[in-house]
Amino acid sequence: MTEKAELTISRLIKAPRSAVWRAWSVPEHFARWWIPRPMECRVVKLDLRPGGGFETLMREGDGPFQPHVEGCFLDIAREERIVFTTALAEGWRPIEPWLALTAIMTMKDEGGGTRYAARVMHKSGEDSRRHEELGFHEGWGATIDQLAEMAGRLASSGESS
């Protein structure tokens, strides 16, 4: 029997898909929700196209910025789907991350808002368990809550188009 090698999380965001997309696609918005507070995020690359680079740094307090995520976008469907992997860097270049994963984020209209879901696939059940033990649900849940706040602000300011 194959071990479960993926984790999922989903939330209903009370904002239109255009606002969720804008929060994901504009680096200064993305930096404000991608990492659980109180940590700070710096966006190095956010090139939303297949083969485009995805790189962020993080820091706690006044310390130096440290590597957080480096990856490559595999598939982009505006306001519908974002797929990236940490097994490749920009331009499909293979890398060896501390945790290899492929994440599929989907955005669908639901109840006047957006159903945002993340499916995160790992190379093994062991890696999936490790990610879960490191706080996947808490960390990704916190960032989705922060995404919802950002998308709500963008929608209410009219900045989501």
Side-chain angles (χ1 to χ4, degrees), residues 11-13 15-20 79-80 106-116:
R11 296 274 198 289
L12 180 60
I13 295 176
R17 280 187 297 148
S18 60
V20 175
E79 297 183 15
E80 293 178 18
T106 57
M107 297 161 246
K108 296 181 180 178
D109 294 333
E110 183 182 317
T114 302
R115 172 61 59 183
Y116 180 86

Side-chain angles (χ1 to χ4, degrees), residues 96-110:
E96 293 187 32
W98 68 274
L99 182 64
L101 60 85
T102 297
I104 303 170
M105 273 67 61
T106 57
M107 297 161 246
K108 296 181 180 178
D109 294 333
E110 183 182 317

Side-chain angles (χ1 to χ4, degrees), residues 24-46:
W24 238 106
S25 62
V26 176
E28 53 269 18
H29 298 324
F30 185 82
R32 295 183 64 193
W33 67 265
W34 179 243
I35 296 177
R37 292 182 198 114
M39 290 194 286
E40 186 180 350
C41 175
R42 177 178 290 162
V43 177
V44 178
K45 295 176 188 168
L46 189 65

Side-chain angles (χ1 to χ4, degrees), residues 31-159:
R32 295 183 64 193
W33 67 265
W34 179 243
I35 296 177
R37 292 182 198 114
M39 290 194 286
E40 186 180 350
C41 175
R42 177 178 290 162
V43 177
V44 178
K45 295 176 188 168
L46 189 65
D47 187 1
L48 289 168
R49 63 179 177 81
F54 175 37
E55 186 177 354
T56 58
L57 304 174
M58 66 179 182
R59 78 170 173 185
E60 279 191 76
D62 295 329
F65 278 93
Q66 303 290 327
H68 176 244
V69 171
E70 182 177 12
C72 178
F73 290 105
L74 303 174
D75 184 41
I76 303 293
R78 184 180 175 87
E79 297 183 15
E80 293 178 18
R81 182 179 55 258
I82 297 169
V83 183
F84 73 87
T85 184
T86 61
L88 300 171
E90 182 175 33
W92 317 106
R93 183 176 46 84
I95 56 176
E96 293 187 32
W98 68 274
L99 182 64
L101 60 85
T102 297
I104 303 170
M105 273 67 61
T106 57
M107 297 161 246
K108 296 181 180 178
D109 294 333
E110 183 182 317
T114 302
R115 172 61 59 183
Y116 180 86
R119 178 178 170 212
V120 181
M121 298 173 287
H122 303 85
K123 68 180 177 179
S124 68
E126 181 181 331
D127 280 1
S128 183
R129 273 192 315 283
R130 179 175 166 219
H131 196 183
E132 190 167 30
E133 289 167 1
L134 287 170
F136 169 82
H137 288 97
E138 297 81 6
W140 284 58
T143 62
I144 293 171
D145 291 343
Q146 292 169 185
L147 167 61
E149 290 172 21
M150 174 59 68
R153 281 196 298 273
L154 293 170
S156 66
S157 73
E159 205 184 323

